[in-house]
Amino acid sequence: AYSNNPVCMAARHNIITGLTAKYHGFDDNYFEDDPKVIPYDIPTFPQLLSDAGYDTIAVGKMHFQPCRRYNGFTKMELMEEIPRHLQDDEYAQYLKDNGYGDIQSIHGVRHLLYMLPQRSLVDERHHGSSWVAERSIHHIRENAGKRPFFLWSSFIAPHPPFDVPEKWADLYKDKELLPVKRTKTPISLLAESNKYIADYPNEDYLRRVRELYYASISFVDYNIGKIIKELKAAGEYDNTLIIFTSDHGELLGDYGTFQKFLPYDGSARIPFIVRYPEKFKGGEVDLRFVDLNDILPTVLDAAKVAYPNPEILPGESVLKDNGFKNRAIQYIEYGHGSRRWVCLR
C-alpha cells in the first residue's frame, strides 16, 4: 500500500476527494500565510455520505485549510499539530479544562527538539492518542443502533515530536528493531536536505528515537483497541467497514535521512488493513498495489452511495473482485516547482 502523495495535507485531500492534486490543488503542505482552499465543486465522501443519511464525524488531526472547514463532515473535533488559534482546537480546549492550560507544547516540544528523544508533557490519560479514542467512543455510543455513521479517528502519532507517555516510553528499550537501511549510491537532493532535520551526535540518539517511534505506534494500537472494543459492545463490530491506514510514513534514519515527502518506502509505503466480514476472511493478504485514492470508492461502495462522475476517479473500491484499475502499477507524486517529483513502481 502507498500514499499517493506522502505528506500530511496532500494525502488527506486525496483521501476525502478520491482525486489527485491536479483536481484538489494540495500537492504539498500549505499554511495560513500561503493559503489554499479545496475547490467548492469537488464532492467529498463525507459530504456524499451525509447526503445519504449518515452521521459523519471527524476526530483528531485533519490538516484541512482553513482548519475549521468541515469538508462534508457533520461533526468535527480537531486535534491539530500546531493550532494557530487555541479556540479552534477541541483538544487544546480539553487540556485547558483539565488543568493543562499552561503547557505550550501539547504534542511534544518542536523547535530545535523536533526529532530528538523526549517524553510527553501530558500524562497518559490526557494524551492526544487517548483523547482521540475517548471522543471516538463517545460518538459510537451516540450513533450505534440508531443511524448509520462514518467515523474518522485520526491520530497525530507516530508523527514527530515523539512525545510518548512515561509508561510506554521504554516498551522497546533493548528490543530488536528493524535494521536501518543503508545506501551505497547517492540519494536525491531532497533527501540530502532532510538529513539536517535530525542532527544526532551519535547512533544512540537514533536508536532511542526509533524506540520511541515504535512505542508511539503501540500506544496508538492500544487506543484503537479501545475503539474496537466499543464497536463490539455496541453490536456494530460485524456491521462496520474498518480501514486502518496512514497518510505517510517516516524515514527515521533510513539512508541517513528523515521525514516524509520522498518516494522511498519508509516515507511513501503505508499500512492498509481492511476488516469487512461480508467480503473478506480474517488473515487474507492481497499483494496487489492499493493506495489512498481507493478509500473514497471503497467507502461509497460499502454504503451503496453513488459518486456523481466516477469516470474521473483514479482509485477503485477494494471490495470489487475484477475492477478496471491496474493494480500492477503504482503512481506517486509530490510537490511543484523545483521540489516536484513523480514516481512509478
Side-chain angles (χ1 to χ4, degrees):
Y2 281 87
S3 173
N4 309 88
N5 192 330
V7 64
C8 310
M9 192 173 274
R12 287 159 183 273
H13 282 82
N14 274 48
I15 290 173
I16 61 169
T17 67
L19 299 169
T20 63
K22 172 184 174 183
Y23 295 91
H24 60 64
F26 289 88
D27 52 27
D28 198 350
N29 284 341
Y30 289 81
F31 300 94
E32 287 171 358
D33 53 358
D34 185 17
K36 181 179 282 289
V37 295
I38 187 172
Y40 70 91
D41 56 343
I42 292 183
T44 66
F45 75 79
Q47 172 191 342
L48 296 169
L49 290 176
S50 297
D51 292 347
Y54 278 72
D55 194 16
T56 54
I57 309 130
V59 175
K61 174 180 171 176
M62 293 297 119
H63 218 161
F64 297 154
Q65 198 176 59
C67 77
R68 293 301 313 181
R69 176 149 180 187
Y70 276 65
N71 285 326
F73 286 101
T74 50
K75 298 184 180 76
M76 185 158 63
E77 298 187 29
L78 292 183
M79 180 185 72
E80 299 294 359
E81 288 175 70
I82 321 172
R84 177 163 291 195
H85 304 289
L86 296 183
Q87 295 78 8
D88 288 341
D89 196 90
E90 278 79 5
Y91 176 64
Q93 292 299 308
Y94 164 84
L95 289 182
K96 184 179 178 183
D97 293 342
N98 283 274
Y100 289 96
D102 59 330
I103 295 180
Q104 182 181 11
S105 301
I106 59 178
H107 299 296
V109 182
R110 296 175 75 95
H111 318 304
L112 296 175
L113 303 181
Y114 187 54
M115 295 288 289
L116 287 176
Q118 56 183 280
R119 300 283 173 92
S120 175
L121 300 174
V122 178
D123 70 27
E124 179 179 334
R125 180 184 161 203
H126 299 296
H127 189 280
S129 294
S130 300
W131 181 83
V132 169
E134 290 308 313
R135 296 311 300 161
S136 298
I137 287 167
H138 166 78
H139 289 290
I140 291 170
R141 287 175 180 166
E142 268 201 336
N143 284 282
K146 300 166 191 166
R147 58 176 167 178
F149 62 92
F150 173 84
L151 171 64
W152 186 351
S153 303
S154 182
F155 299 84
I156 292 176
H159 197 289
F162 307 124
D163 63 322
V164 184
E166 190 76 24
K167 189 177 109 179
W168 294 79
D170 290 333
L171 190 64
Y172 289 93
K173 198 169 181 62
D174 303 323
K175 299 274 175 41
E176 184 177 348
L177 308 181
L178 289 170
V180 178
K181 293 178 181 176
R182 311 290 181 185
T183 182
K184 295 180 180 178
T185 57
I187 57 177
S188 71
L189 292 176
L190 267 181
E192 285 284 352
S193 68
N194 280 10
K195 284 183 175 182
Y196 306 103
I197 290 171
D199 189 15
Y200 297 139
N202 55 51
E203 286 288 317
D204 289 343
Y205 271 78
L206 175 57
R207 163 78 201 192
R208 184 60 186 145
V209 162
R210 288 164 65 82
E211 288 173 359
L212 291 173
Y213 186 80
Y214 280 48
S216 188
I217 291 172
S218 289
F219 188 47
V220 168
D221 286 347
Y222 167 72
N223 281 291
I224 290 172
K226 290 184 197 173
I227 297 170
I228 288 174
K229 185 178 178 182
E230 183 59 36
L231 280 172
K232 290 178 178 177
E236 296 284 9
Y237 185 54
D238 289 331
N239 186 40
T240 303
L241 165 68
I242 300 174
I243 300 175
F244 173 83
T245 189
S246 179
D247 51 0
H248 58 76
E250 164 62 55
L251 280 159
L252 210 65
D254 281 352
Y255 316 122
T257 192
F258 302 89
Q259 283 278 284
K260 63 265 187 178
F261 51 73
L262 292 164
Y264 306 124
D265 267 10
S267 162
R269 194 170 175 185
I270 54 173
F272 200 100
I273 302 170
V274 178
R275 185 182 193 276
Y276 195 54
E278 192 176 305
K279 178 65 181 175
F280 303 117
K281 295 176 183 174
E284 284 187 51
V285 177
D286 191 330
L287 296 178
R288 295 175 299 167
F289 286 126
V290 66
D291 58 54
L292 297 179
N293 292 340
D294 296 317
I295 291 178
L296 177 144
T298 300
V299 170
L300 294 183
D301 188 10
K304 298 179 174 52
V305 172
Y307 186 82
N309 45 339
E311 66 280 357
I312 69 169
L313 292 175
E316 187 172 40
S317 171
V318 300
L319 306 181
K320 292 194 184 307
D321 291 320
N322 298 301
F324 68 85
K325 183 173 179 177
N326 183 352
R327 296 194 179 276
I329 295 169
Q330 181 62 53
Y331 177 81
I332 316 171
E333 64 176 330
Y334 165 77
H336 56 274
S338 62
R339 292 173 66 86
R340 170 79 172 159
W341 56 258
V342 295
C343 167
L344 198 65
R345 284 210 57 186

